[in-house]
Amino acid sequence: MGGDRGVSDSLCGGASAPSRRLPRVVAALTGPADLTDSQITIGLRSLAGDVVTEALDGEQRGAAAEEDEDEAFHRRLKAYEGLPAAAPGVGRDPVNEPMIRHWCEAMGDANPAYTGPDAIAPPTMLQAWTMGGLAGHAPQPGGGTAQDELFALLEAAGCTSVVATDCEQEYLRPLRPGDRITFRTVIESVSPRKTTKLGAGHFITTRTDVRANGEPAAAHRFRILKYAPAAAPRPAHDAAEPRRPRPVINRDNAGFWDGVAGHTLLIQRCRSCRTLRFPWLPGCNGCGSEQWDTVEASGAGTVYSYVVMHHPPFPAFDPPYAVALIELAEGVRIVSNVIGVPADQVRIGMSVRLEFQQVDEELELPVFRPLRGSVV
């Protein structure tokens, strides 16, 4: 059995193996010659079991230590909850009719509540009264903010990326022309470590309390994910032939994409007030009804506005290309590409016609081509 001593060392990790049964098993392997094969086998199994148990215990201890470390780090992050995220602010302008009118024109909102002597501001316009404009708000007295410190702490831990996830608004009273707006933003919550497809990190929620003439008027919650980017998965398709991003199809817009597959551009129509709407929504923004049907667009339209994309480059797109807001003959607008002419020849008011473009083996999109004679 002397030749088996190397086997015992290999299984046990040499003289430093942690198992308390090591001397007995080594004796079984190297002791008297009258030991049976079954006794030696039992000894080996016993030792192997101890080694596996020690390894599992080590993994569990490592996982527990990592969990304790995460909890300790989260406690450091939670210490910032309730602290100001920025200096208290004052709206640069009182609530006023010109800004309300511009908002309604841009959004296509003709609600009569937003005009006349008793006009109110659209509730979803809330942030327009608190934003600092291009110049921003005055800097925090004394330097950085608690939010700056929180972000620095997360970035030092590898959470170098950020993505906005959602926002919530709560309206307590209407805002009217002449109201003077003040606001205060705090760090409301920091989540435990969460793992997402983007990577692992922490959700941070800030809450802005808005007052009008000193009275509580609204609250705005804004949530972001500060995360460490996950390793990018290897693309399943040929990297030399990048594909356009896939549209997000859900129960609210699946009918639109079914129409595209059949080469029809479908517009939603409210069954209650007969208002057309685009993009597709679960309810009417005119009367609130959830009942709707569709009408097929004629395909005629004009360029209402456009931009020409030069930079940055994106895979599967060949700059320069025109991204346009097309006003359809039916009165609704759709964002699409203008094809068939150089991007620098696209003009506002240009007459266009609907086409369907096969951009790859799986994706077909509605696009618009200028009518003959409309290109200058």
Side-chain angles (χ1 to χ4, degrees), residues 237 241-247 315-317 357-365:
H237 58 280
E241 297 179 359
R243 301 191 305 171
R244 289 199 184 192
R246 306 290 97 173
F317 291 85
Q357 184 180 48
Q358 191 80 39
V359 296
D360 59 41
E361 69 280 4
E362 297 178 357
L363 183 61
E364 194 166 17
L365 295 174

Side-chain angles (χ1 to χ4, degrees), residues 258-315:
D258 289 343
V260 170
H263 286 190
T264 59
L265 185 63
L266 298 179
I267 304 170
Q268 277 184 313
R269 178 175 59 189
C270 176
R271 284 185 174 176
S272 178
C273 67
R274 314 302 286 175
T275 299
L276 300 181
R277 64 178 184 263
F278 194 92
W280 284 37
L281 295 169
C284 178
N285 55 12
C287 70
S289 172
E290 296 180 358
Q291 305 301 314
W292 54 271
D293 55 17
T294 62
V295 296
E296 182 179 348
S298 67
T302 58
V303 175
Y304 186 84
S305 182
Y306 72 96
V307 295
V308 176
M309 297 296 298
H310 295 272
H311 188 82
F314 295 101

Side-chain angles (χ1 to χ4, degrees), residues 123-194:
T124 53
M125 193 181 174
L126 180 64
Q127 281 186 286
W129 312 114
T130 62
M131 288 182 173
L134 294 178
H137 293 293
Q140 176 86 2
T145 66
Q147 182 167 277
D148 294 333
E149 294 179 10
L150 175 60
F151 280 15
L153 187 61
L154 286 163
E155 287 170 6
C159 297
T160 55
S161 297
V162 63
V163 62
T165 60
D166 62 291
C167 67
E168 304 170 9
Q169 292 186 346
E170 179 182 1
Y171 311 117
L172 305 178
R173 82 154 178 87
L175 299 180
R176 303 181 182 279
D179 284 346
R180 174 62 69 175
I181 300 301
T182 57
F183 53 94
R184 178 176 180 270
T185 303
V186 300
I187 301 168
E188 185 173 61
S189 65
V190 184
S191 78
R193 184 174 181 270
K194 302 290 185 181

Side-chain angles (χ1 to χ4, degrees), residues 8-79:
S8 68
D9 288 343
S10 175
L11 286 172
C12 304
S16 60
S19 173
R20 290 186 295 242
R21 298 186 182 182
L22 177 60
R24 185 165 66 239
V25 176
V26 172
L29 289 172
T30 62
D34 59 352
L35 289 176
T36 66
D37 289 343
S38 61
Q39 288 174 313
I40 294 175
T41 301
I42 291 171
L44 283 171
R45 288 177 175 171
S46 176
L47 176 58
D50 283 346
V51 170
V52 171
T53 300
E54 290 285 346
L56 291 176
D57 287 346
E59 289 180 3
Q60 291 172 352
R61 285 195 298 270
E66 184 177 350
E67 185 176 345
D68 290 344
E69 185 177 339
D70 286 345
E71 290 180 357
F73 185 63
H74 184 225
R75 286 195 295 271
R76 293 178 64 190
L77 300 179
K78 284 184 69 65

